[in-house]
Amino acid sequence: MEPLLRGRFAPSPSGRMHLGNVFTALLAWLSVRAAGGTLVLRMEDLDPDRCREEYAQVLAEDLRWLGLDWDEGYQMGGPHGPYRQSERTELYAARFRQLEQMGLVYPCFCTRAERLAASAPHRGDGQILYSGRCRSLSPQEREELSRTRRSAWRLAVPDERVSFIDGHLGYYEEDLCRACGDFIIRRSDGVYAYQLAVVTDDGAMEINQVVRGQDLLDSTPRQILLYRLLGLPQPVFYHVPLLLAEDGRRLSKRDMDLDMGALRARYSPEQLVGKLAFLAGLSPTGEPVRPAELAADFSWSKVPERDVIVQTSMFGE
């Protein structure tokens, strides 16, 4: 007997959700509801400079307005809480110590300027390939540097390729040494990095299906490596297309592209879900519809694999 499907929506409460966030939330919700599974809402509020409780509250209210409910998590509780990452630091510390005891982490004293100067550009999103310069420091050199700088901590990445089968996109493979190099798992200010936190949380919350945007596709091999090292079961991943403006720019909170404030002022929940269903290939016309009506006929085979251009006329005044 297969285990009950447990999926999650794990947004960062750093601003109002935009159309792309809602698109991903709808697909995550439909994938779980179509299979009769459990949906968890987790707030990924690790960054104290950007994330606020008021954003989390508005985010939850926007989801309810859309008809996207959840079974466990933020504002509801459950057996795997707390459901805010800012309250789960002790769990990340324990996993960090586990990796440390395995001899797999090391302190990195490089400043951002030094990392940029010594690294090659990584893809087109501003990521860089770390050179590994601090990996070979002697104990004496580390001691000397620690007197004047706080270190971040990196995972020593093995020289191997990591592959997996994405539930939507199929086979994906990455050479970690050439794609990202040793990556940070704890920042110099003590905040645990996304890669370690998300693996720890999905393992602890027994998440076995992860639906998220394709901008996180190249993070997945790093997370798979951590699942293996920490002895945690690996979920099935589904990476969904991104919504792009007509100029090819990715919709973002920073630019307030079609955020929920503007969308709620203009549309009813059913109208907005209908438009999202059209973009997702789940409705031929985009007519108003409730999420529950889409669940019965949901199939990943209908969802496009490539990024989707949002026509201005579709969400115009």
Side-chain angles (χ1 to χ4, degrees), residues 21-258:
N21 302 137
V22 181
F23 181 75
T24 300
L26 175 62
L27 288 172
W29 188 92
L30 288 172
S31 188
V32 169
R33 292 290 179 247
T38 297
L39 186 66
V40 178
L41 177 63
R42 181 175 73 231
M43 292 294 169
E44 298 197 335
D45 60 346
L46 276 176
D47 191 335
D49 297 326
R50 298 175 60 245
C51 298
R52 300 178 186 173
E53 172 60 18
E54 55 263 39
Y55 291 151
Q57 292 176 9
V58 171
L59 193 154
E61 203 280 322
D62 283 340
L63 290 173
R64 291 192 178 98
W65 180 82
L66 285 160
L68 303 179
D69 60 346
W70 55 98
D71 307 296
E72 177 184 324
Y74 178 74
Q75 294 184 342
M76 290 191 66
H80 302 90
Y83 295 93
R84 294 173 53 179
Q85 287 188 331
S86 59
E87 299 175 356
R88 298 176 63 83
T89 304
E90 291 183 5
L91 294 171
Y92 311 144
R95 290 302 187 182
F96 177 85
R97 288 193 298 270
Q98 183 178 345
L99 294 170
E100 189 176 31
Q101 290 165 3
M102 297 166 68
L104 297 176
V105 301
Y106 64 88
C108 176
F109 300 93
C110 297
T111 64
R112 176 172 174 79
E114 288 169 338
R115 293 198 304 271
L116 289 170
S119 305
H122 176 50
R123 310 219 170 177
D125 58 1
Q127 296 188 60
I128 58 175
L129 175 62
Y130 180 62
S131 66
R133 61 184 296 179
C134 287
R135 187 173 183 174
S136 58
L137 292 176
S138 68
Q140 294 78 14
E141 289 172 319
R142 290 175 180 173
E143 173 66 24
E144 184 176 345
L145 285 167
S146 68
R147 295 171 186 163
T148 57
R149 297 185 188 180
R150 290 189 301 178
S151 68
W153 287 82
R154 291 184 182 269
L155 181 75
V157 170
D159 188 6
E160 64 181 56
R161 303 186 74 85
V162 175
S163 64
F164 70 101
I165 304 297
D166 187 276
H168 184 47
L169 301 177
Y171 183 81
Y172 183 81
E173 181 182 78
E174 196 168 86
D175 185 326
L176 291 176
C177 286
R178 292 161 182 78
C180 64
D182 299 345
F183 55 89
I184 290 174
I185 58 172
R186 196 176 79 184
R187 300 185 336 195
S188 60
D189 61 0
V191 174
Y192 289 94
Y194 167 77
Q195 310 292 0
L196 180 62
V198 73
V199 168
T200 299
D201 288 342
D202 284 344
M205 295 178 184
E206 301 179 5
I207 301 299
N208 52 25
Q209 182 185 94
V210 172
V211 177
R212 59 189 183 186
Q214 287 185 22
D215 55 327
L216 292 172
L217 179 62
D218 61 3
S219 287
T220 307
R222 282 172 262 179
Q223 291 165 24
I224 289 174
L225 174 62
L226 284 169
Y227 282 115
R228 294 174 182 172
L229 294 174
L230 296 170
L232 297 172
Q234 176 185 320
V236 177
F237 293 91
Y238 289 77
H239 287 88
V240 306
L242 302 179
L243 299 188
L244 306 180
E246 287 181 301
D247 60 4
R249 178 176 47 84
R250 192 172 80 194
L251 303 184
S252 69
K253 292 179 186 176
R254 184 181 307 162
D255 300 317
M256 299 184 67
D257 285 295
L258 298 175

